[in-house]
Amino acid sequence: MATIRFTLNGKPQAVDVSPDLPLLWVLRDALGLTGTKFGCGMAICGACTVHVNGTAVRSCSMQAAAIADKNVVTIEGLSADGSHPVQKAWIEKDVPQCGYCQSGQIMGAAALLAKNARPSDADIDEVMKFYICRCGTYQDIRSAIHRAAELQANGGVK
Amino acid sequence: MNATRRGFLKTTAGLVVGFYLPGRGEVAAQGTAVTTQRVNAWVRIGTDDSVTLMIHKSEMGQGTVTSLSQLLAEELECDWKKIRTEFPGIDPAFGLQGVFGSQSIRTGWGPLRNAGAQAREMLLQAAAQRWGIGKSLCRASDGVISNTANGEKLTFGKVADAASKLTPPTGLTLKNPGQYKLIGKSMKRLDTPDKVTGRTKFGIDVRVPGMVYAAIARCPVAGGKVASFDATKAKAIAGVRDAVQISNGIAVIADNTWAAFAGAKALEIKWDEGPNAAFNTPAIRKAFTEQTLLPGASARRQGNGAAALDTAGKKIDAVYEAPFLAHAPMEPLNCVAHVRPDGCDVWASTQMQTGISGIALQLTGLRPDQITIHTQYLGGGFGRRAGTDYAREAIELAKIVKVPVKVTWSREHDLQNGIYRPASVTRFAGGLDAEGWPLVLTANIACPPMGGSGSFGGGRGGGVDSTSVEGIADLRYAIPHMQVDYHSVTGGVPTTYWRAVGYTQNTFFGESFLDEMAVAGGKDPVDVRRRLLADVPRLLGVLNLAAEKAGWGKPLPAGHHQGIAVVNNIGSYTAQVAEVSVTGGKLKVHRVVCATDCGQVINPAIVEQQIRSAIVFGLSAALKGEITIDGGRVQQSNFHQYDVVRMDEAPAVEVHIVPSTEAPGGMGEAGVPTIAPAVCNAIFRATGKRIRRLPIQGQELA
Ligand code: FES
Ligand code: FES
């Protein structure tokens, strides 16, 4: 066991866990933040995506020790009230079906838009093809990312 | 959402109207309401103006909650924004509860509108009494009742208590389609806001005070048992507390899911693998194929059957194959159970509440009223969550550990210890008349039963598993002579429903072979279908609409080719035209045009969403999906070996809905069956190569 200190959704956080426990399980089991999902455990599906120092990271494959002193943002902390442009666009386009993959999709899309404010279809595919949705919401995700880019340009990120 | 039915009925200030939603098999004819005194669903109008719909359906992504709420609100005339839905704890007295066969809307169509109308009339009556006027002078709209004589207004909540003293009226006349305000409108899904903020609680997200985490090492060969085990290495892992044997394997109890997974992997287990260890995919394919040379149980006889082949001008034959498939819902299977001397609670994202409650009764020996099943949101089901294996083992384990326990399946467990869409082989022969039109079609099907033996689903008659032959035995084409035979076979792994059931493979087989018959007769595939569907107007309608919207027969971009397929399943009619190119042996599916007639549409946006979803789901199977067996073991362990369609491979989908006031058909499964044959028929046009085995991946397309 080790005490890991990091910033979680804007607040200081300390947690006593085994240093090799993947961040996904630190969040879900140790801290009870269940918005981040488990899909494969092998960095294949993207369901567990969170931001670590602003970069989209697969939390199933990052050990607790590696987040010491880092800034971690999960779906629960992306915005206070669902008002991030990506979340707004997702609501406008009614993207989710079962919804299980959507935390990861949204975190992935938000990281993409932070780097590339006006991605083309090809830019979107290049990043988002690494996020699996078994309900097949891909077409809706693509159009919602374009919409989020517009919202972001018109109002900035919260 | 965890409110139990008992709690719900106790807290009732306001008006509660109970009604009955029939289960599978109870929808005698499409849309016919079942008359009964039983009650298994409720609507409550609270004194705070809230409207709560309490239903035993699950939400697994199809927008069920939203569509059912639209049916209720259409007649209730409540404020749409105030509707909430709760999934009740279930009572075994309700009869079969579950969501499968795309039936939620089909069974809810009559009862929900009727319940809404009953509640509205009671509220109107209560308001009329309050004002001392005739009920006909009162109008309900948006949750407010108006006195049309003097313009006075009362919200529903103000008269809800008074209305609860009245007797629910019967024999109400429901709105005709011209009066609909909500039905047919693309209302926003009620579940979206929680799904974009991480607030939606799926089964895997359940946390109960004092809960421990578990993972189970199950025999890699179906039906195998533990001979002996050594947990020394597992228990050495940080966070692992214990390892205990249960009937289907060894459960590792831990402080978190990760430690439980690692512990399960570290167990040293000797298995008594049993007879299924003898199975492997090449031998299964060979055995199934050989079966199709023998006469089987009769699934359909029409005209002179196979004998008519002798009178045909031209004959063709072909053997088609489909592999085992896993469901692989994004949310791995899981279940939380807590068994106490005086009660049992089970939290599960499930399509099969009734089955779980029966198992809890049987394993705990408790009384029905001591058992509560808490239905959670489903991170996909696709038929897998109509099984109950994941709940049985959790309840069994909970009895041993005595504290609440969450069993989570790793993706490896999900793919390798699953219940699968059966592999199957179908041998066809077809004969054409002198003009080249189809005269006779025979099919000999070898397919493990899909579960149609009565637990849920189609029945078996004369040795035929109805779900294993649907899609061929029920083809609507006017071919004078038809014969369909069935063989029940096994591949050593358990089999069950998969989104669209028998149609998933049989529509691929049937619609591909019909295409072969069209080619053999020198006919256009759309012309052949038009002729054979002349007496099936709704199927003909979608065929024509899809062909028209896709520009069938019109010039396409260079290198693009089209294929078409149609299906009539779950009360809906669907046609799809796929547009593909094959360049240097590489297939690209560019566009799919889908026409669907699913009767009265409740929510067009949800219908379109379901079709897009179904096409990606069906295309994943067509292009890549394959579970193979070696030594009785499933060889695929995670998404790197069981890949699915990704965003860059998903075609642009256009959906065209036929306006209709017929009773609603199902939607969740309607779009799945036709994508594989439409794509493969297009590949034939592009390359001259006929795909007779799925998946396409790995086959030469030159
Ligand atoms: S769970 Fe981490 S990528 Fe799938
Ligand atoms: S919405 Fe269900 S897996 Fe993506």
Short mmCIF file of all heavy atoms in Angstrom, two decimals, chain A residues 96-102 133-135 137, chain B residues 330, ligand 2:
data_model
loop_
_atom_site.label_atom_id
_atom_site.label_comp_id
_atom_site.label_asym_id
_atom_site.label_seq_id
_atom_site.Cartn_x
_atom_site.Cartn_y
_atom_site.Cartn_z
N PRO A 96 -26.16 9.20 -26.93
CA PRO A 96 -26.04 7.90 -26.26
C PRO A 96 -27.20 6.95 -26.55
O PRO A 96 -28.35 7.37 -26.67
CB PRO A 96 -26.05 8.27 -24.76
CG PRO A 96 -25.70 9.70 -24.70
CD PRO A 96 -26.25 10.31 -25.96
N GLN A 97 -26.87 5.69 -26.64
CA GLN A 97 -27.92 4.66 -26.64
C GLN A 97 -27.87 3.99 -25.28
O GLN A 97 -28.42 4.52 -24.33
CB GLN A 97 -27.73 3.72 -27.83
CG GLN A 97 -28.04 4.47 -29.13
CD GLN A 97 -28.10 3.58 -30.33
OE1 GLN A 97 -28.38 2.39 -30.26
NE2 GLN A 97 -27.84 4.16 -31.49
N CYS A 98 -27.17 2.85 -25.16
CA CYS A 98 -27.05 2.32 -23.79
C CYS A 98 -26.25 3.29 -22.93
O CYS A 98 -26.46 3.38 -21.73
CB CYS A 98 -26.42 0.92 -23.80
SG CYS A 98 -24.62 0.89 -23.83
N GLY A 99 -25.32 4.01 -23.54
CA GLY A 99 -24.59 5.05 -22.83
C GLY A 99 -23.31 4.59 -22.17
O GLY A 99 -22.53 5.42 -21.68
N TYR A 100 -23.06 3.30 -22.17
CA TYR A 100 -21.96 2.78 -21.37
C TYR A 100 -20.60 3.28 -21.86
O TYR A 100 -19.72 3.57 -21.06
CB TYR A 100 -21.99 1.25 -21.37
CG TYR A 100 -21.04 0.64 -20.37
CD1 TYR A 100 -21.38 0.57 -19.02
CD2 TYR A 100 -19.79 0.17 -20.75
CE1 TYR A 100 -20.51 0.03 -18.09
CE2 TYR A 100 -18.92 -0.38 -19.83
CZ TYR A 100 -19.28 -0.45 -18.50
OH TYR A 100 -18.42 -0.99 -17.57
N CYS A 101 -20.43 3.39 -23.18
CA CYS A 101 -19.13 3.82 -23.71
C CYS A 101 -18.97 5.32 -23.70
O CYS A 101 -17.92 5.84 -24.02
CB CYS A 101 -18.98 3.33 -25.16
SG CYS A 101 -20.03 4.25 -26.32
N GLN A 102 -20.06 6.05 -23.38
CA GLN A 102 -20.08 7.47 -23.70
C GLN A 102 -19.17 8.33 -22.82
O GLN A 102 -18.67 9.35 -23.28
CB GLN A 102 -21.52 8.02 -23.68
CG GLN A 102 -22.43 7.36 -24.72
CD GLN A 102 -22.06 7.63 -26.17
OE1 GLN A 102 -21.38 8.63 -26.45
NE2 GLN A 102 -22.47 6.77 -27.08
N CYS A 133 -17.88 1.51 -29.66
CA CYS A 133 -19.27 1.63 -29.21
C CYS A 133 -20.03 0.45 -29.78
O CYS A 133 -20.20 0.36 -30.99
CB CYS A 133 -19.90 2.94 -29.69
SG CYS A 133 -21.66 3.02 -29.29
N ARG A 134 -20.48 -0.46 -28.94
CA ARG A 134 -21.22 -1.64 -29.42
C ARG A 134 -22.61 -1.26 -29.90
O ARG A 134 -23.25 -2.00 -30.62
CB ARG A 134 -21.32 -2.70 -28.32
CG ARG A 134 -20.11 -3.59 -28.22
CD ARG A 134 -19.89 -4.42 -29.47
NE ARG A 134 -20.53 -5.71 -29.46
CZ ARG A 134 -20.76 -6.42 -30.55
NH1 ARG A 134 -20.46 -5.95 -31.74
NH2 ARG A 134 -21.32 -7.61 -30.46
N CYS A 135 -23.12 -0.12 -29.45
CA CYS A 135 -24.44 0.32 -29.91
C CYS A 135 -24.34 1.05 -31.25
O CYS A 135 -25.36 1.44 -31.81
CB CYS A 135 -25.10 1.23 -28.89
SG CYS A 135 -25.39 0.42 -27.31
N THR A 137 -22.99 4.14 -32.21
CA THR A 137 -23.37 5.56 -32.25
C THR A 137 -22.38 6.42 -33.04
O THR A 137 -22.40 7.64 -32.93
CB THR A 137 -23.49 6.13 -30.82
OG1 THR A 137 -22.21 6.01 -30.17
CG2 THR A 137 -24.53 5.40 -30.00
N MET B 330 -20.85 -3.67 -24.17
CA MET B 330 -19.75 -2.86 -23.64
C MET B 330 -19.61 -3.02 -22.13
O MET B 330 -18.53 -2.99 -21.59
CB MET B 330 -19.95 -1.37 -23.96
CG MET B 330 -19.37 -0.91 -25.28
SD MET B 330 -17.83 -1.68 -25.81
CE MET B 330 -16.63 -0.79 -24.87
S1 FES C 2 -23.80 3.71 -26.41
FE1 FES C 2 -23.82 1.61 -25.91
S2 FES C 2 -21.76 1.03 -26.20
FE2 FES C 2 -21.82 3.05 -26.93
#
